[in-house]
Amino acid sequence: MAYDFKIRSAVTSTGKTAYYAKVTGLTDPEFFVAYKTKYEERFGLYNVSVSNNLVYNAADYVNEFGFWAYFIEATAKVESQGSFLCLNTYDRAYFTFGFMQFAAHVPNGDFVRFFRKLLTLPNALEYFPRLRLINDRIFYKNDAGATSQLENDSSSQKLMEYLNPTTNEVEQQELICSARFIHWASNDPKHRRVQVEHSISLYKENMKKYSKRLNLNGYPAKVCFMICDILHQGRGTYDRISYALDTDSHEKAFQNLCTIGNTHYPTRINGLKVHLKKLEQAGLFNKKYKADTNEFV
């Protein structure tokens, strides 16, 4: 049976509008969904709260995913402090969720593929009773049983608007969909595992592509990681990265990569460097990339 969420709002002591949700018919306590915010001319929600048991920790997943669990960890920390509940609905993506901040505006992008995987979970209909996965595409099913496709190779706009109808104001549908994601991630370890699996799959796929373009065989993990993070965030181009790698020293290449975007994103880059150093000192990040197997050895 589908969960029915009741939403309430309250104004905090600092003047923020906060939204809370409760599953009707259950004795479970209400939970925090998000704060309201304005970004440029857009209104939306954000949740950057961090709960100790709802934070990505590579050590929790290394037995299943090996070194790749550590490989994504620094990005997770700077994106969201590793929060499985990280949410925003106020920018051009309309809906962004997860510790890697998967964004809904890209057709076949990280959020769309992530959501497809979520819809294969046994309890998917409890959270999104109107959505169906048909031929690996997301469809909406109306009361009459007719289905309409929400995303394809060229657009995810209908899916974006299903999750968040507009950015002109915070709307009930936006709040309900946000509550569904927050509750699902909070209460279902399978949901959280999908976040992890998809994040690792994303970086593994990217490493194949980046290595083919940049010839990364034999490069240290920290150089490869920084390339992944640069292109994940979008703060640099292949040409700029290629120029940074044009040196006979891997350490110099790493330092060069750390300058890309440093004018606008110094906090992120410093955070990455600190976390990578911690992993290196623990002996957890001293591998090199082997292109023919797409693994670090």
Side-chain angles (χ1 to χ4, degrees), residues 93-94 104-109 111-113 115-116 119 128-142 146-165 173 177 180-181:
Y94 274 54
H105 65 302
V106 181
N108 293 324
F111 178 88
V112 173
R113 288 180 289 153
F115 200 11
R116 289 173 188 157
L119 292 176
F128 289 94
R130 293 286 189 179
L131 299 186
R132 298 291 186 274
L133 196 64
I134 302 173
N135 296 325
D136 204 34
R137 295 293 188 183
I138 301 172
F139 283 73
Y140 176 84
K141 185 176 182 180
N142 66 19
T147 57
S148 55
Q149 192 167 337
L150 298 183
E151 49 87 13
N152 55 41
D153 289 339
S154 60
S155 176
S156 59
Q157 188 67 36
K158 291 181 180 179
L159 177 61
M160 292 160 58
E161 292 173 357
Y162 169 81
L163 297 167
N164 178 11
Q173 175 71 2
C177 288
R180 288 167 173 166
F181 269 91

Side-chain angles (χ1 to χ4, degrees), residues 45-48 75-91 93 95-106 109-112 114 195 198-199 202 232-233 268:
L45 304 170
Y46 74 95
N47 182 336
V48 292
T75 295
K77 296 302 182 187
V78 298
E79 284 281 358
S80 63
Q81 300 182 72
S83 174
F84 281 106
L85 311 183
C86 186
L87 165 81
N88 88 62
T89 68
Y90 55 76
D91 63 17
F95 203 92
T96 299
F97 192 78
F99 66 77
M100 292 285 272
Q101 295 210 52
F102 301 137
H105 65 302
V106 181
D110 48 22
F111 178 88
V112 173
F114 164 61
Q195 280 197 44
H198 187 57
S199 299
L202 176 68
H232 177 73
Q233 189 197 13
R268 181 189 183 99

Side-chain angles (χ1 to χ4, degrees), residues 114-262:
F114 164 61
F115 200 11
R116 289 173 188 157
K117 289 180 180 179
L118 286 181
L119 292 176
T120 68
L121 294 180
N123 57 353
L125 290 179
E126 295 175 19
Y127 286 98
F128 289 94
R130 293 286 189 179
L131 299 186
R132 298 291 186 274
L133 196 64
I134 302 173
N135 296 325
D136 204 34
R137 295 293 188 183
I138 301 172
F139 283 73
Y140 176 84
K141 185 176 182 180
N142 66 19
D143 287 337
T147 57
S148 55
Q149 192 167 337
L150 298 183
E151 49 87 13
N152 55 41
D153 289 339
S154 60
S155 176
S156 59
Q157 188 67 36
K158 291 181 180 179
L159 177 61
M160 292 160 58
E161 292 173 357
Y162 169 81
L163 297 167
N164 178 11
T166 76
T167 56
N168 298 329
E169 188 51 86
V170 171
E171 293 135 329
Q172 183 70 5
Q173 175 71 2
E174 175 183 357
L175 286 163
I176 293 296
C177 288
S178 297
R180 288 167 173 166
F181 269 91
I182 295 290
H183 188 272
W184 200 354
S186 298
N187 291 279
D188 186 1
K190 291 181 180 178
H191 176 119
R192 298 192 293 275
R193 187 193 174 281
V194 169
Q195 280 197 44
V196 175
E197 180 184 40
H198 187 57
S199 299
I200 289 172
S201 176
L202 176 68
Y203 266 27
K204 287 184 79 170
E205 290 171 10
N206 288 346
M207 272 304 304
K208 280 186 182 179
K209 180 171 60 177
Y210 302 159
S211 181
K212 187 174 182 180
R213 174 76 179 258
L214 299 166
N215 190 22
L216 297 176
N217 186 57
Y219 273 84
K222 69 178 183 179
V223 172
C224 296
F225 165 79
M226 194 59 72
I227 292 168
C228 284
D229 189 81
I230 289 167
L231 294 169
H232 177 73
Q233 189 197 13
R235 65 179 181 273
T237 64
Y238 277 118
D239 287 340
R240 181 68 182 85
I241 291 168
S242 180
Y243 181 77
L245 296 176
D246 189 15
T247 174
D248 58 3
S249 163
H250 287 158
E251 183 59 34
K252 178 61 175 173
F254 176 74
Q255 295 302 329
N256 289 344
L257 290 168
C258 290
T259 67
I260 297 176
N262 197 43

